[in-house]
């Protein structure tokens, strides 16, 4: 790992000021992705701005029809929260399926979203539920947040402060996981929001995406057989040592069917 | 530029000047000389470096020491009683032969103690799921699962 300067601000404003000054700096959340990337010298920031001492970024609030989760809230806290389990059980379940216990005790919601790993789980919930990503500068709708492989709408130095998830009528997340890392080979989040159905797919493409044909079919009839015949094209999907693009395309339909089944339970 | 890191480790306040890039596991092993915490993979896969930070099991190879600033850290050296009486989870690993070479054992025990706090009477399935972040190259896991099941019950009293 290359040397860097370390900063530990106690407020979002101080963190933003530091980030603005250090063009080659990076924000540090749980470190579960960033520290490993730095060891491999895939990332060599001049400065690390640790968000760990900022109390305002932690915690879960349920308010009317929505669940707001602070960017520094750990995966384990979301998975174990009685409030999240009650308001959006699919979200608590998704968090419980990330990595392993130790990773869930350190990894954060904000870190996962900013990192935008193509196989990460949280992006499926954010896009599937039509959540709003709140930063120190603005509110970003889920449909505008994910831009591509490891790419988001965040500007340099912009800090995610919280994410607001509207509670759906019913929802479920099912993933076909890599048995070693538990990352999604394909994960599908299905949500019946009350104002329509949203289907978000992670792991399959360079970035999380929605499947309009499935959303339309499920809007007409919310049942597993409504999506059973709908295929996505393999063009542009990921091929790696774990699965080919064709196999991933096949899994999208299978996982979508299972997610609808799970949402109906 | 060196930074001052301060935390409590096994009940004792510790503080040192370190380079910011010092990993928590490096701080524990090389600065504090507590070599019970192992490094198996250095890539967040194997769990040999598992310790407790504020009561929660985490991988000490995957964070810098500064992320544990002001935290309460417990390593494998801190779980037995001062008179040497083993922690119930350590005793269960001994009793059920939950180790062979022992390399993975400190991480296994630290993860198991944290897990058992919320699972006083775990099913085999729950124990196996809890071990997703810990690799063992010797035992085939069966005796580790037996040990953790027994250790969790013993901890609950
Ligand atoms: C063994 C292992 C298995 C894993 N398995 C899974 C899995 O199954 N599913 C899954 O989804 N993930 C998995 N992960 C990734 C894990 O969820 C990480 O915690 C997550 O991707 C990054 O979160 P972090 O808090 O550790 O962020 P960090 O690593 O600290 O940061 C990641 C990036 O986000 C930026 N950042 C952090 N916080 C903010 C913020 N508030 N605002 C703006 N930018 C920010 C940082 O600058 C950095 O670029 C796994 C990781 C490991 C090590
Ligand atoms: S050494 Fe930390 S997980 Fe392997
Ligand atoms: S006992 Fe040898 S690695 Fe587990």
């Amino acid at each position: 790992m290359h040397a860097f300067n370390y900063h530990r601000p106690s407020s979002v404003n101080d963190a933003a000021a530091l980030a603005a000054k250090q063009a080659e700096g990076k924000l540090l959340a749980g470190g579960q992705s960033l520290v490993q990337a730095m060891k491999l010298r895939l990332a060599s920031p001049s400065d690390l701005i640790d968000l760990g001492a900022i109390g305002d970024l932690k915690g879960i609030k349920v308010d009317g029809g929505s669940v707001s989760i602070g960017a520094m809230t750990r995966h384990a806290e979301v998975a174990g929260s009685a409030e999240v389990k009650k308001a959006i059980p699919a979200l608590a379940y998704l968090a419980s399926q990330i990595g392993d216990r130790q990773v869930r005790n350190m990894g954060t919601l904000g870190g996962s979203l900013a990192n935008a790993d193509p196989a990460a789980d949280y992006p499926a919930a954010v896009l599937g539920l039509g959540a709003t990503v709140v930063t120190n500068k603005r509110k970003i709708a889920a449909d505008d947040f994910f831009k591509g492989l490891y790419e988001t709408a965040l500007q340099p130095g912009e800090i995610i402060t919280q994410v607001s998830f509207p509670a759906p009528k019913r929802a479920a997340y099912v993933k076909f996981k890599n048995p070693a890392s538990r990352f999604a080979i394909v994960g599908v989040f299905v949500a019946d929001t009350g104002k329509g159905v949203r289907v978000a797919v992670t792991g399959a493409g360079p970035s999380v995406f929605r499947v309009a044909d499935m959303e339309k079919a499920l809007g007409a009839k919310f049942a597993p057989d409504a999506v059973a015949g709908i295929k996505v094209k393999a063009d542009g999907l990921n091929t790696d040592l774990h699965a080919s693009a064709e196999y991933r395309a096949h899994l999208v339909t299978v996982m979508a069917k299972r997610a609808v089944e799970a949402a109906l339970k | 530029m060196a930074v001052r890191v301060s935390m409590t480790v096994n009940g004792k306040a510790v503080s040192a000047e370190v380079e910011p890039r010092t990993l928590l596991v490096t701080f524990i092993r090389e600065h504090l000389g507590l070599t019970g915490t192992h490094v198996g993979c250095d890539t967040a896969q194997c769990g040999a470096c598992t310790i407790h930070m504020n009561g929660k099991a985490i991988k000490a190879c995957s964070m810098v020491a500064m992320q544990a600033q002001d935290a309460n850290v417990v390593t494998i050296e801190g779980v037995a009683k001062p008179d040497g009486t083993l922690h119930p989870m350590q005793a269960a690993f001994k009793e059920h032969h939950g180790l062979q070479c022992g390399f993975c054992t400190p991480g296994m025990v630290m993860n198991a103690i944290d897990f058992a706090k919320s699972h006083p009477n775990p099913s085999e399935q729950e124990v196996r799921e809890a071990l997703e972040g810990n690799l063992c190259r010797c035992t085939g896991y069966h005796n580790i699962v037996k040990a953790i099941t027994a250790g969790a019950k013993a901890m609950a009293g």
Side-chain angles (χ1 to χ4, degrees), chain A residues 26-36 51 57 71-72 75 97-100 103 106-108 110-112 114-115 119-122 154 158-161 175 181-184, chain B residues 43-45 59:
Chain A
K26 260 192 176 297
L27 302 166
L28 174 67
Q32 300 300 288
S33 299
L34 182 55
V35 170
Q36 294 305 337
L51 303 177
L57 293 179
M72 283 299 288
H75 307 330
Q97 299 298 300
I98 298 175
D100 52 56
V103 168
M106 275 307 277
T108 67
S112 176
N115 202 42
D121 294 301
Y122 266 133
L154 292 172
E158 188 170 4
I159 303 172
I160 302 174
T161 54
K175 77 167 153 176
S181 73
R182 274 79 59 195
F183 270 106
Chain B
T43 55
Q45 312 294 319
K59 294 174 181 171

Side-chain angles (χ1 to χ4, degrees), chain A residues 1-6 8 28-32 35-36 39 48 50 74 99-106 177 180-182, chain B residues 1 3 19-21 23 42-44 47 50 53 56-59 61-64 66-67 69 111 114-115 130 132-134:
Chain A
M1 195 188 302
H2 285 296
F4 55 84
N5 298 311
Y6 174 87
R8 195 176 172 83
L28 174 67
Q32 300 300 288
V35 170
Q36 294 305 337
K39 286 189 198 175
L48 276 191
D50 189 349
R74 317 281 173 183
D100 52 56
R101 297 186 77 244
Q102 293 97 316
V103 168
R104 292 194 292 274
N105 280 335
M106 275 307 277
K177 59 186 168 190
S181 73
R182 274 79 59 195
Chain B
M1 197 178 61
V3 282
E19 263 201 84
R21 60 179 160 176
L23 296 173
D42 200 26
T43 55
T50 301
M53 183 168 82
K56 306 255 186 256
I58 55 104
K59 294 174 181 171
C61 75
S62 300
M63 55 188 284
V64 293
M66 285 305 294
Q67 284 177 273
Q69 179 69 7
N111 186 26
D114 176 25
F115 165 73
E132 276 174 337
N134 293 78

Side-chain angles (χ1 to χ4, degrees), chain A residues 128-183:
Chain A
L129 291 165
T132 305
V133 179
V134 184
T135 76
N136 61 324
K137 294 187 177 149
R138 57 193 168 135
K139 293 183 172 170
I140 310 171
D143 286 307
D144 303 325
F145 185 79
F146 301 100
K147 294 291 187 196
L149 187 68
Y150 294 107
E151 213 184 302
T152 67
L154 292 172
Q155 292 157 1
E158 188 170 4
I159 303 172
I160 302 174
T161 54
Q162 61 171 45
V163 181
S164 170
F165 296 91
K169 238 167 73 187
R170 53 196 168 187
Y173 177 66
V174 175
K175 77 167 153 176
F176 188 81
K177 59 186 168 190
N178 175 324
S181 73
R182 274 79 59 195
F183 270 106

Side-chain angles (χ1 to χ4, degrees), chain A residues 191-261:
Chain A
D192 181 358
T193 65
K195 286 181 285 180
V197 176
R198 295 173 68 101
V199 177
V201 177
T202 190
S207 169
V208 63
F209 62 88
R210 291 171 64 185
V211 186
D213 289 350
M214 288 187 177
E215 294 181 350
K216 222 170 103 196
L218 290 169
K221 182 181 169 212
F222 197 81
D225 60 5
V227 291
I230 302 176
K231 307 264 179 241
V232 299
K233 286 209 184 74
D235 295 352
L237 296 190
N238 304 334
T239 290
D240 54 26
L241 77 158
H242 307 301
S244 65
E246 290 71 27
Y247 185 46
R248 280 191 162 88
H250 171 74
L251 282 176
V252 171
T253 304
V254 179
M255 293 301 121
K257 223 173 73 184
R258 289 188 194 165
V260 176
E261 262 164 38

